[in-house]
Amino acid sequence: MNTLDSLYKQCQECKACELYKERTNIVFGVGNQNADILFIGEAPGENEDLQGMPFVGRSGKLLDELLNEVGFSRDENIYIANILKCRPPKNRDPKPNEQEACLHFLMEQIDIINPKIVVCVGRIAAQKLISKDFKVTSQHGTFVEKNGILFTATYHPAAILRNIHQKPYAQEDMKKFKEKLLELSK
Ligand code: URA
């Protein structure tokens, strides 16, 4: 099996879709390689492409705030990655062929990290990893088991920045994720 380091190197060489042409950096993932909980966003934006790290822009700051409130931190106990490793131009939604071309990297990351819980951050990740008609507004915070891993979803921080009334729901979700993890670790 690959290590995250060898997978990272393969990802840097990847030309499986057109997005490699305009990337500054791949955005592979950050955090604890032994994390029990993995957060999956959609795709890198401009800041992420420039820095090579997920969720470092305005929505990343809000995500960190929500995580930190329940004691999750990318420096300690979680891992964060995206469905796509390269930035789509002008931050448009990832195309189905781009998601298909990139997904094997994420699947290998999940295999290597072997988390107890995978949290889809926003609709794109939830529809790719949980079910294709997933509705964040009605299904956030619910758990579905797949191959021994619990999958769940919450609001994307960029959506919360557009509609701040969603923030308390995301805060409740984070509490739920923390509680579920404690329950699973007993
Ligand atoms: N939005 C995402 O979904 N992922 C990032 O890394 C940044 C913004």
Side-chain angles (χ1 to χ4, degrees), residues 131-150:
S131 66
K132 66 178 189 312
D133 53 1
F134 194 94
K135 293 244 177 337
V136 173
T137 43
S138 55
Q139 291 174 277
H140 68 96
T142 59
F143 293 92
V144 181
E145 202 226 292
K146 292 187 181 203
N147 300 321
I149 297 177
L150 288 181

Side-chain angles (χ1 to χ4, degrees), residues 41-45 48 54-55 59 82 156:
E42 172 180 328
E48 290 77 19
F55 286 104
S59 59
N82 281 307
H156 195 288

